[in-house]
C-alpha cells in the first residue's frame, strides 16, 4: 500500500445524491485493486473506501481509505441553484467559471459513424456472438485559465434537478493520473446498499429531450418507451444485472421498465431491488460483480469489451464506477457517465459519451445520441453548441 496526499482544502472525493452527500479527504492507504480494498474493509483495518473503478476490470483502480469522511443527509450545496442547464451561463459572476472552448472531436464524427456501421454489420451476423456493444467518442475542450475540479462539480450539481454530481481525484491510480480528476453528473446507479436492502437502477435506451417544446418532448419520451430496438437493448442489461444479483442476493425483484429523465435526455430504466444478509456482499463487492454491465459495455461482455478495445482503445475511468463503501457493507456506486476528465493543470477537459448499438441501430442516429449526451457535461461549461462537423 502507498499513500496519497494533497495540499488543497478541496475534497478529493465527493458524491452528491438527492438524499445524501459523501465527501472525503485524500491521505489514506491506496488500493490499486478492488480485491485489496475489499479485503481491507473485511478485515476491519479501515472504515471506508472511496474512489473510482476503471472501465476495464483488472486495470489499476483509484481507490483509497480516506483520512476523514463526511456524510451529510442532504445533496451537495454549491451555492447558486440552477435547475435548467441553459441558465448556467447566467450564474452570478462570483460563481462563473472560465469559459471552455471546443478543441477536437476524438474521433471525428464520420469515423464514429463508421465504427457504429462496423458494429452493426457484426451484430447482424447470426454466427457472431455479439448481441450489443456500447461505443463511445470523446470531445476535448480547453480553457485559457485553470479551473478547479470542485467548481466544475458545483456547476454540474447546480444544473441537475436531482443534485447528482461526483468528483474523484484519480491520483491513486498512478501512471498518467496524478493530479487529474474525474468530474460529472451520473444518473445511473450501479448499486446501492443500505443495511440488507440493495438497489441497482440500470439505464439503457435513450432519446434526446426537446426542452423548448413540451409536446415534442413528451412525444420523444413516448416513442422511446415504445421502441422495440431500445427495449431489446434494455432487456440485455436487466437480464444480466438480475442474474448477477440472484447469484448473491435474495428476493430479487425486476419490475417493468419505466421512463427516466435528465436535463438533456430521456432514458429507459429499471429499478431492480434485492436483499442481502448484513454480513453478505458489500456495496463494493456487488459493484465489482456487476461491472461492467451491458449498459456501458455490451453483451456478451467479453466479446463487447474486445470490440471496444479494438475500435476505441483504452477508456480509462469513463464508463467505470464512482462511489464509496463502509466497513458495514453500506455504500453507493454510480456508473461514471456524463463526465469528463480534468487535466492536472486544470485547463483541459476530455468528455466522453456513448450509446448502445444493436443490430437495428442507425449510425447517424447513434451519433446524434452521443451529441445529446455531451450536452450534460459541456452545456453548463459554456459549450452549448458543437460544430456541425462534430455531430
Amino acid at each position: 500500500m502507498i499513500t496519497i496526499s494533497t495540499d488543497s482544502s478541496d475534497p478529493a472525493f465527493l458524491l452528491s445524491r438527492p438524499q445524501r452527500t459523501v465527501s472525503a479527504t485524500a491521505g489514506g492507504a491506496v488500493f490499486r485493486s478492488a480485491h485489496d480494498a475489499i479485503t481491507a474493509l473485511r478485515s476491519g483495518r479501515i472504515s471506508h473506501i472511496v474512489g473510482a473503478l476503471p472501465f476495464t476490470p483488472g486495470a489499476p483502480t483509484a481507490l483509497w481509505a480516506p483520512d476523514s469522511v463526511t456524510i451529510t443527509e442532504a445533496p451537495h450545496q454549491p451555492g447558486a441553484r440552477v435547475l435548467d442547464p441553459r441558465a448556467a451561463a447566467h450564474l452570478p459572476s462570483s460563481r462563473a467559471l472560465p469559459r471552455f472552448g471546443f478543441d477536437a472531436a476524438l474521433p471525428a464524427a464520420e469515423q464514429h459513424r463508421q465504427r457504429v456501421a462496423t458494429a452493426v454489420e457484426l451484430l447482424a451476423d447470426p454466427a457472431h456472438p455479439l448481441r450489443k456493444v456500447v461505443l463511445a467518442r470523446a470531445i476535448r475542450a480547453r480553457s485559457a485559465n485553470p479551473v478547479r475540479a470542485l467548481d466544475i462539480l458545483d456547476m454540474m450539481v447546480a444544473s441537475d434537478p436531482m443534485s447528482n454530481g461526483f468528483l474523484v481525484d484519480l491520483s491513486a491510480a498512478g501512471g498518467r493520473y496524478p493530479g487529474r480528476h474525474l468530474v460529472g453528473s451520473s444518473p445511473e446507479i450501479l448499486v446501492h446498499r443500505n443495511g440488507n436492502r440493495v438497489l441497482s437502477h440500470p439505464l439503457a435506451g435513450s432519446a434526446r429531450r426537446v426542452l423548448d417544446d413540451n409536446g415534442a418532448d413528451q412525444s420523444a419520451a413516448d416513442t422511446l418507451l415504445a421502441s422495440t430496438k431500445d427495449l431489446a437493448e434494455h432487456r440485455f442489461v436487466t437480464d444480466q444485472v438480475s442474474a448477477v444479483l440472484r447469484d448473491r442476493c435474495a428476493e430479487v425483484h425486476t419490475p417493468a421498465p419505466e421512463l427516466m429523465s435528465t436535463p438533456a435526455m430521456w432514458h429507459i430504466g429499471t429499478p431492480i431491488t434485492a436483499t442481502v444478509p448484513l454480513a453478505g456482499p458489500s456495496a463494493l463487492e456487488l459493484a465489482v460483480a456487476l461491472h461492467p454491465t451491458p449498459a456501458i459495455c455490451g453483451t456478451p461482455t467479453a466479446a463487447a469489451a474486445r470490440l471496444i478495445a479494438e475500435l476505441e482503445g483504452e477508456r480509462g475511468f469513463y464508463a467505470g464506477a464512482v462511489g464509496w463503501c463502509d466497513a458495514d457493507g453500506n455504500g453507493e456506486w454510480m456508473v461514471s457517465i456524463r463526465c469528463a476528465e480534468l487535466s492536472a493543470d486544470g485547463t483541459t477537459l476530455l468528455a466522453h459519451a456513448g450509446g448502445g448499438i444493436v443490430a437495428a441501430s442507425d449510425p447517424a442516429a447513434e451519433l446524434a445520441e452521443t451529441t445529446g449526451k455531451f450536452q450534460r457535461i459541456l452545456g453548463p461549461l459554456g459549450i452549448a453548441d458543437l460544430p456541425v462537423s462534430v455531430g
Side-chain angles (χ1 to χ4, degrees):
M1 297 186 298
I2 62 174
T3 60
I4 57 175
S5 61
T6 177
D7 296 328
S8 172
S9 60
D10 294 344
F13 171 90
L14 193 151
L15 177 63
S16 175
R17 297 283 289 127
Q19 304 301 325
R20 176 180 293 117
T21 298
V22 178
S23 61
T25 62
V30 166
F31 302 93
R32 293 283 174 81
S33 80
H35 172 77
D36 291 344
I38 290 167
T39 299
L41 274 176
R42 284 283 184 182
S43 72
R45 300 196 311 269
I46 59 175
S47 63
H48 289 81
I49 286 288
V50 299
L53 304 174
F55 170 72
T56 303
T61 63
L63 299 173
W64 71 94
D67 284 341
S68 66
V69 176
T70 301
I71 299 178
T72 305
E73 299 303 318
H76 175 59
Q77 298 295 322
R81 304 295 295 161
V82 182
L83 299 185
D84 185 339
R86 295 169 296 179
H90 304 297
L91 285 171
S93 59
S94 62
R95 298 289 306 148
L97 292 178
R99 283 282 178 170
F100 280 89
F102 170 80
D103 182 59
L106 306 169
E110 183 53 41
Q111 185 178 346
H112 184 72
R113 279 194 292 264
Q114 186 54 53
R115 286 178 176 178
V116 174
T118 298
V120 168
E121 186 175 350
L122 292 175
L123 289 158
D125 180 0
H128 197 281
L130 197 63
R131 292 295 170 263
K132 174 188 174 181
V133 64
V134 179
L135 295 181
R137 62 187 184 117
I139 296 293
R140 187 172 62 218
R142 297 190 188 275
S143 172
N145 299 301
V147 179
R148 294 163 66 218
L150 184 60
D151 286 339
I152 297 176
L153 171 75
D154 282 354
M155 187 71 80
M156 298 307 298
V157 172
S159 60
D160 187 273
M162 301 297 291
S163 298
N164 284 316
F166 64 82
L167 175 158
V168 183
D169 184 334
L170 297 176
S171 299
R176 69 179 181 86
Y177 290 105
R180 300 190 182 203
H181 289 79
L182 192 70
V183 187
S185 177
S186 176
E188 185 167 1
I189 303 169
L190 179 62
V191 67
H192 175 95
R193 179 184 157 177
N194 183 19
N196 71 339
R197 287 185 273 185
V198 171
L199 167 70
S200 180
H201 195 168
L203 308 179
S206 306
R208 191 170 184 175
R209 297 193 63 185
V210 187
L211 296 176
D212 56 357
D213 186 328
N214 290 339
D217 191 41
Q218 187 59 54
S219 178
D222 294 342
T223 299
L224 174 64
L225 194 57
S227 167
T228 301
K229 174 258 182 190
D230 288 288
L231 288 171
E233 176 190 338
H234 188 77
R235 182 65 180 269
F236 287 132
V237 183
T238 57
D239 283 353
Q240 181 166 315
V241 169
S242 298
V244 170
L245 293 181
R246 280 196 296 270
D247 285 344
R248 294 160 177 81
C249 305
E251 299 177 317
V252 177
H253 176 59
T254 307
E258 59 190 28
L259 284 171
M260 175 181 176
S261 66
T262 69
M265 304 292 295
W266 286 105
H267 299 284
I268 300 175
T270 299
I272 303 171
T273 58
T275 61
V276 291
L278 294 182
S282 68
L284 178 55
E285 289 170 89
L286 290 171
V288 170
L290 288 164
H291 176 69
T293 74
I296 45 84
C297 181
T299 190
T301 303
R306 283 193 298 270
L307 185 60
I308 290 168
E310 177 186 334
L311 296 179
E312 291 184 30
E314 176 56 47
R315 281 183 172 177
F317 285 87
Y318 163 69
V322 169
W324 64 279
C325 186
D326 66 21
D328 292 327
N330 301 311
E332 186 165 41
W333 294 82
M334 306 296 290
V335 181
S336 50
I337 54 176
R338 311 298 182 271
C339 63
E341 184 182 300
L342 180 67
S343 62
D345 66 4
T347 64
T348 304
L349 275 175
L350 189 66
H352 286 82
I357 314 302
V358 294
S361 292
D362 172 68
E366 296 297 338
L367 177 69
E369 180 177 321
T370 62
T371 302
K373 290 175 177 176
F374 275 127
Q375 285 309 307
R376 180 64 196 101
I377 182 75
L378 298 181
L381 298 176
I383 307 177
D385 296 300
L386 295 172
V388 174
S389 61
V390 174

